[in-house]
Amino acid sequence: MDKFEELHMQYDRMIHKIIHTLHIYKNKPEYYQTGLIALWEAHQKFDPEKGAFPAYAYSYVRGRILSQLTNENRNEEKSIFKETEFFDMIEDEHINEGLAEEMLFSYCGDLTVNQRKWVMYTCLHMLTVSEIAEVENVSISAVKKWRKGAKEKVRGILEIRG
């Protein structure tokens, strides 16, 4: 274990440099951990007959971090697509209103009464936040809170059903 601690200290700056050059600014500790794991794996798999360890470690760590970055981007794009698809579909004026309402309610089971009101007013009646506030006789910030909570819960439902 002491040997890996030495390796860790020696290649710490390299991992940080890779993260920086790949312009990673979210979840840096997670990517750093991936880099450490990759460094350990590179140390285990290294064959001195095939070249120098620093070059091997650099390409191995960079490759692993890039793989994680690619996978996370792919997953993020999928969730954004599902969310966009859902909100576009329920806002489409050409969908039968009864069917739209039924489908809309199928995603609203876990929402509070006020969150359901926001969904109905927004998606079925096409009202703005200020119009909803006026109809419900509440503040605009209250309606924005309903909207935020509803969107978070619907995203969670979409991820589960995804």
Side-chain angles (χ1 to χ4, degrees):
M1 194 58 160
D2 289 337
K3 188 166 184 160
F4 182 72
E5 286 298 323
E6 291 172 17
L7 199 64
H8 171 219
M9 298 303 285
Q10 185 178 357
Y11 289 92
D12 176 70
R13 294 186 79 194
M14 180 192 75
I15 296 171
H16 284 292
K17 179 68 175 168
I18 291 170
I19 291 170
H20 178 74
T21 57
L22 293 174
H23 305 290
I24 296 172
Y25 58 93
K26 291 182 185 175
N27 305 324
K28 281 184 180 181
E30 187 177 322
Y31 285 99
Y32 183 80
Q33 184 67 28
T34 299
L36 281 179
I37 293 168
L39 180 63
W40 181 77
E41 289 174 354
H43 176 68
Q44 297 296 314
K45 295 179 179 183
F46 177 65
D47 181 4
E49 294 177 7
K50 293 186 177 181
F53 181 73
Y56 179 72
Y58 180 85
S59 63
Y60 198 94
V61 170
R62 187 174 187 278
R64 182 60 60 87
I65 291 174
L66 277 172
S67 293
Q68 180 179 347
L69 191 60
T70 301
N71 289 337
E72 286 184 10
N73 285 340
R74 199 174 292 141
N75 291 338
E76 190 174 304
E77 286 173 8
K78 285 180 184 177
S79 72
I80 289 172
F81 174 73
K82 288 178 189 172
E83 177 187 325
T84 304
E85 181 182 78
F86 171 76
F87 284 109
D88 287 346
M89 191 163 51
I90 61 177
E91 291 177 356
D92 188 351
E93 294 177 24
H94 303 291
I95 294 178
N96 178 321
E97 275 193 30
L99 179 62
E101 204 169 308
E102 184 179 322
M103 183 171 56
L104 192 57
F105 285 133
S106 74
Y107 287 93
C108 295
D110 294 337
L111 302 182
T112 66
V113 172
N114 289 332
Q115 290 168 346
R116 277 190 221 127
K117 285 180 185 178
W118 174 81
V119 171
M120 295 254 306
Y121 284 132
T122 301
C123 300
L124 296 178
H125 304 295
M126 305 309 214
L127 295 181
T128 64
V129 171
S130 57
E131 292 170 334
I132 296 169
E134 189 176 318
V135 169
E136 288 294 316
N137 199 25
V138 296
S139 68
I140 292 174
S141 64
V143 177
K144 287 180 179 179
K145 286 179 186 175
W146 301 351
R147 175 182 64 191
K148 181 180 179 189
K151 283 186 169 186
E152 287 173 358
K153 287 181 182 177
V154 169
R155 281 185 191 114
I157 291 167
L158 287 172
E159 286 176 9
I160 291 170
R161 292 185 182 183

